[in-house]
């Protein structure tokens, strides 16, 4: 049997072009992510899959696969808004993807006092929704209070706190220029900017993209691959990653 060299050549070209197109779409437009941990419950559940837009805050080397050193700084930068849920590279290794909610902007002062969150000396308003909520925390099931919090810019979302409020008080976190402060919605089960040695303040160049909508949910009551939620309208998606943590 004689091999057709043109056949293999054309197929290799097709695969190459498809790969180039996929890399361009993933780098410049939209990328899917999988949620493997519970740090953003109740907004995002373990097993959820969502799309992140890469163009929302401009582009840096972390916009591209494997973070090649092709950009020395962020270009086309559009500043994120307080309350956005954002994928970023952790400053500790500039490699690991985390997803958290943006709480503090450059120049802000963030602090926990008696388990209440303060930004620039003003308490973030929260209204209790439930006393009997159970959610995941790693391999454990924990009992939590569920709240709706409202940021100064009017954004509302759900958070949960352990019933004994294990994270009571903190030092003042003073956010440097061009850096951001992130928290998980699962407040007592999230490694986030409060942990300065492992996450800490996140430079704008480490931003990967903005979480937009879930395209598959692990909650059978709410999700399938055929159902989409709009980030801005869905309470549940405003319900939300660790590695994506």
């Amino acid at each position: 049997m004689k091999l057709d060299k043109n056949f293999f050549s054309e197929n290799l070209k097709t695969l190459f072009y498809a790969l180039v197109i996929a890399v361009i779409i993933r780098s410049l437009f939209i990328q899917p992510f999988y949620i493997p941990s519970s740090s953003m419950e109740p907004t995002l559940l373990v097993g959820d899959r969502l799309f992140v837009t890469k163009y929302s805050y401009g582009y840096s080397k972390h916009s591209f696969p494997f973070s090649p050193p092709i950009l020395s700084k962020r270009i086309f930068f559009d500043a994120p808004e307080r309350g956005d849920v954002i994928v970023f590279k952790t400053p500790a290794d500039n490699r690991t993807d985390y997803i958290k909610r943006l709480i503090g902007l450059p120049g802000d002062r963030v602090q926990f006092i008696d388990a209440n969150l303060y930004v620039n000396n003003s308490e973030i308003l929260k209204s209790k929704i439930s006393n009997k909520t159970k959610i995941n925390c790693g391999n454990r099931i924990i009992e939590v209070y569920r709240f709706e919090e409202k940021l100064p810019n009017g954004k509302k979302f759900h958070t949960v706190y352990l019933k004994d409020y294990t994270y009571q008080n903190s030092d003042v976190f003073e956010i440097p220029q061009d850096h951001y402060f992130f928290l998980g919605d699962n407040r007592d089960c999230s490694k986030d900017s409060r942990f300065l040695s492992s996450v800490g303040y996140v430079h704008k160049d480490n931003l990967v993209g903005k979480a937009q909508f879930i395209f598959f949910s692990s909650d059978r009551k709410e999700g399938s691959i055929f159902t989409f939620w709009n980030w801005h309208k869905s309470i549940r998606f405003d319900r939300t990653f660790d590695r994506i943590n």
Side-chain angles (χ1 to χ4, degrees):
M1 181 178 177
K2 192 173 181 179
L3 296 177
D4 187 341
K5 292 184 179 179
N6 288 333
F7 172 81
F8 286 105
S9 175
E10 290 302 317
N11 277 276
L12 285 174
K13 286 181 181 178
T14 300
L15 289 174
F16 174 76
Y17 293 144
L19 179 62
V20 169
I21 292 171
V23 169
I24 290 173
I25 292 174
R26 182 185 183 278
S27 301
L28 301 182
F29 299 105
I30 195 166
Q31 181 178 351
F33 282 96
Y34 167 80
I35 309 301
S37 79
S38 54
S39 71
M40 283 298 288
E41 291 198 17
T43 310
L44 288 174
L45 306 179
V46 175
D48 282 354
R49 290 167 173 82
L50 54 85
F51 281 123
V52 169
T53 48
K54 307 298 282 292
Y55 51 81
S56 295
Y57 311 122
Y59 302 97
S60 72
K61 65 179 182 179
H62 297 303
S63 303
F64 304 91
F66 310 111
S67 302
I70 57 178
L71 292 175
S72 60
K73 61 181 181 179
R74 197 164 204 95
I75 61 172
F76 307 122
F77 179 60
D78 190 8
E81 295 183 6
R82 203 189 307 271
D84 287 355
V85 176
I86 296 173
V87 177
F88 59 87
K89 299 289 185 182
T90 54
D93 61 12
N94 289 305
R95 184 174 65 249
T96 306
D97 288 322
Y98 271 36
I99 184 170
K100 307 291 179 184
R101 191 179 297 277
L102 175 57
I103 299 297
L105 305 178
D108 281 350
R109 294 164 56 88
V110 178
Q111 185 177 21
F112 278 87
I113 302 174
D114 298 328
N116 296 310
L117 175 62
Y118 286 75
V119 176
N120 298 326
N121 299 319
S122 296
E123 183 178 352
I124 299 302
L125 299 177
K126 63 178 187 284
S127 303
K128 186 178 288 186
I129 296 174
S130 172
N131 291 329
K132 297 181 179 180
T133 299
K134 291 185 178 182
I135 64 169
N136 293 301
C137 181
N139 296 322
R140 298 180 295 131
I141 302 295
I142 58 175
E143 291 189 351
V144 295
Y145 294 127
R146 182 168 180 158
F147 296 89
E148 180 183 79
E149 291 189 356
K150 182 179 180 181
L151 294 176
N153 61 354
K155 285 196 175 182
K156 298 179 181 179
F157 50 91
H158 289 184
T159 59
V160 293
Y161 292 77
L162 278 169
K163 289 192 173 183
D164 57 359
Y165 294 103
T166 58
Y167 195 82
Q168 290 276 341
N169 297 287
S170 74
D171 295 331
V172 178
F173 297 100
E174 297 187 9
I175 305 167
Q177 183 179 358
D178 293 330
H179 288 72
Y180 296 91
F181 187 92
F182 291 88
L183 292 175
D185 290 348
N186 192 349
R187 290 288 161 78
D188 293 292
C189 190
S190 172
K191 185 183 291 185
D192 47 42
S193 290
R194 293 171 289 184
F195 299 86
L196 296 179
S197 62
S198 54
V199 181
Y201 309 117
V202 179
H203 193 273
K204 68 179 183 180
D205 289 349
N206 284 53
L207 305 182
V208 174
K210 180 180 181 180
Q212 293 289 359
F213 54 84
I214 298 170
F215 67 88
F216 179 87
S217 175
S218 59
D219 188 338
R220 293 181 180 179
K221 294 180 181 178
E222 301 193 38
S224 75
I225 199 166
F226 303 108
T227 308
F228 287 71
W229 290 267
N230 182 282
W231 175 269
H232 302 287
K233 296 180 181 178
S234 172
I235 293 289
R236 180 188 176 272
F237 196 70
D238 265 339
R239 66 174 156 74
T240 317
F241 92 43
D242 247 327
R243 249 172 9 243
I244 249 174
N245 224 9

